[in-house]
Amino acid sequence: MPEPVDLAAVLSTVDQPWSPRTVAVLNDYDLRVVHTHGEFTRHSHPETDEVFLVLSGSLTIRMDDGDVTLGPGQLYVVPKGTPHQPYSPDGAQVLLVEPSATVNTGDTPSELTAERRVV
């Protein structure tokens, strides 16, 4: 039987922003935690929606139709194919839900593209 996942403990081991860690797999989906700080790459995921659930701090998702700002306990689904840019001037801890094969920078590779890391 798998052990419970302590999200705070996993996040305490992550020292770089925008470097997600897969903490669980649900069917073909990863549940990933990430520290955010500053601006991320503007990108989209042509084949999938992306879920953002803020655990602590504040995260703004910039989109063409307007920005969405999330605080602790708030969740937002970015529809597939929607260009978006996460932004967090003061930092946040976020849980992401997306297919396991999804690259964090979507269709726009950059220096922030991270390899899938399962803990």
Side-chain angles (χ1 to χ4, degrees), residues 14 35 38-39 51 55-56 68 81 105 108 115 117 119:
V14 180
H35 286 288
E39 291 185 335
V51 175
L55 304 171
S56 68
V68 174
T105 52
T108 312
E115 290 184 26
R117 295 179 75 179
V119 296

Side-chain angles (χ1 to χ4, degrees), residues 20-108:
R21 300 295 191 275
T22 297
V23 296
V25 178
L26 173 69
N27 298 316
D28 297 330
Y29 281 76
D30 280 9
L31 285 81
R32 300 172 177 168
V33 292
V34 65
H35 286 288
T36 65
H37 192 264
E39 291 185 335
F40 192 65
T41 303
R42 179 177 164 83
H43 66 284
S44 69
H45 302 281
E47 303 300 323
T48 187
D49 299 337
E50 185 174 23
V51 175
F52 292 82
L53 170 62
V54 174
L55 304 171
S56 68
S58 177
L59 177 74
T60 297
I61 304 170
R62 296 172 174 161
M63 296 177 290
D64 294 342
D65 289 340
D67 296 350
V68 174
T69 299
L70 305 172
Q74 292 185 311
L75 174 144
Y76 186 76
V77 178
V78 175
K80 69 180 177 181
T82 302
H84 59 285
Q85 180 185 31
Y87 171 67
S88 182
D90 299 318
Q93 294 180 337
V94 178
L95 178 73
L96 305 168
V97 181
E98 54 201 353
S100 298
T102 301
V103 176
N104 67 326
T105 52
D107 61 355
T108 312

